[in-house]
Amino acid sequence: MSDVQTLLTLPMDTLAVLGAGYMGYRIAYTGDDQTHKSVDVAFISLAFGLVCGLGMRVKVGGPYEIEISVAIGIAATILAAAIWKKYLANWCREVLAVTNVSYSDGRRSAWDSIRISTRNRPTQLVVRQKNGIHLKCDYLKSFEPYPHGPCVFGEDGSIALYVTHTQNGSDPDWSLVQSTSTELGLQMTYIPADQIAAIEMRNLIT
């Protein structure tokens, strides 16, 4: 009997705890799991599974008691994972830094910290290429409604953006780019990591 078949023989509430735990892990650490090992995945999933188990303890009556309890447990897990991702993870890092316990955010590079942070809301993005051609996107917020908008930061260091201006390395002035076509729509540009010399971005202070 395979491992999957063995799992399927477990009671429904146990399956719910295991499934919800892993679901919580995926939500809480989306894009932020590059350094995680199997033991990290197992214990973080277990922690979120405990949230599901606590949620399932809510007493409900009726013929669908088990199903409703499972739904409550899963909903509690999803909510807990979202709160951790949005607020608690950053708050814990700030507490550790303020108390001089640790200044590390646990990520592999400064680029990972930038691309993963939910606080990163750039208003302007400049990509300086090794060939001397520089690309800029002004007012990124205006491109949020478009596919992959306003930009994409790749795990490998690549970037995709809607270019509004270009600059030749020898020319200090930026040239406006007409990237919108009435028939074809808006053009997005992809720059591989090995072609990028530097990245500059501006963020509003809120």
Side-chain angles (χ1 to χ4, degrees):
M1 184 178 289
S2 68
D3 293 338
V4 174
Q5 290 175 319
T6 302
L7 285 174
L8 293 177
T9 62
L10 295 173
M12 182 177 180
D13 54 352
T14 303
L15 287 175
V17 168
L18 293 175
Y22 184 70
M23 185 188 304
Y25 166 74
R26 296 309 310 166
I27 294 172
Y29 289 91
T30 297
D32 200 10
D33 56 356
Q34 297 81 10
T35 60
H36 288 179
K37 299 177 181 178
S38 298
V39 65
D40 299 312
V41 177
F43 278 97
I44 296 173
S45 298
L46 177 61
F48 283 111
L50 291 175
V51 175
C52 179
L54 291 174
M56 290 172 59
R57 287 178 176 271
V58 176
K59 298 297 183 180
V60 293
Y64 300 103
E65 180 176 359
I66 296 178
E67 290 80 0
I68 295 174
S69 295
V70 168
I72 292 173
I74 292 174
T77 305
I78 294 173
L79 179 61
I83 292 174
W84 173 265
K85 178 73 172 178
K86 181 66 176 178
Y87 302 107
L88 293 182
N90 288 327
W91 180 79
C92 288
R93 295 187 187 102
E94 290 177 358
V95 170
L96 292 176
V98 169
T99 55
N100 296 322
V101 174
S102 174
Y103 296 100
S104 172
D105 62 4
R107 285 153 186 163
R108 298 178 303 176
S109 64
W111 175 244
D112 278 349
S113 295
I114 291 172
R115 71 180 185 82
I116 294 170
S117 175
T118 56
R119 295 183 175 182
N120 187 31
R121 290 288 187 272
T123 56
Q124 182 188 76
L125 177 64
V126 176
V127 180
R128 300 195 180 277
Q129 299 182 97
K130 295 178 180 178
N131 61 8
I133 303 298
H134 309 317
L135 309 176
K136 179 170 71 170
C137 180
D138 268 340
Y139 305 106
L140 272 78
K141 188 175 179 61
S142 62
F143 295 96
E144 286 185 355
Y146 296 99
H148 308 294
C151 56
V152 178
F153 296 151
E155 181 180 332
D156 61 349
S158 60
I159 286 183
L161 74 161
Y162 292 100
V163 179
T164 60
H165 298 78
T166 61
Q167 180 193 56
N168 189 302
S170 59
D171 187 351
D173 297 323
W174 288 90
S175 300
L176 184 65
V177 174
Q178 184 63 38
S179 58
T180 304
S181 167
T182 304
E183 296 180 355
L184 301 177
L186 199 61
Q187 175 178 297
M188 178 172 249
T189 302
Y190 167 80
I191 309 100
D194 59 3
Q195 296 182 21
I196 298 175
I199 300 166
E200 302 168 7
M201 64 180 73
R202 295 180 186 272
N203 285 273
L204 286 177
I205 299 176
T206 56

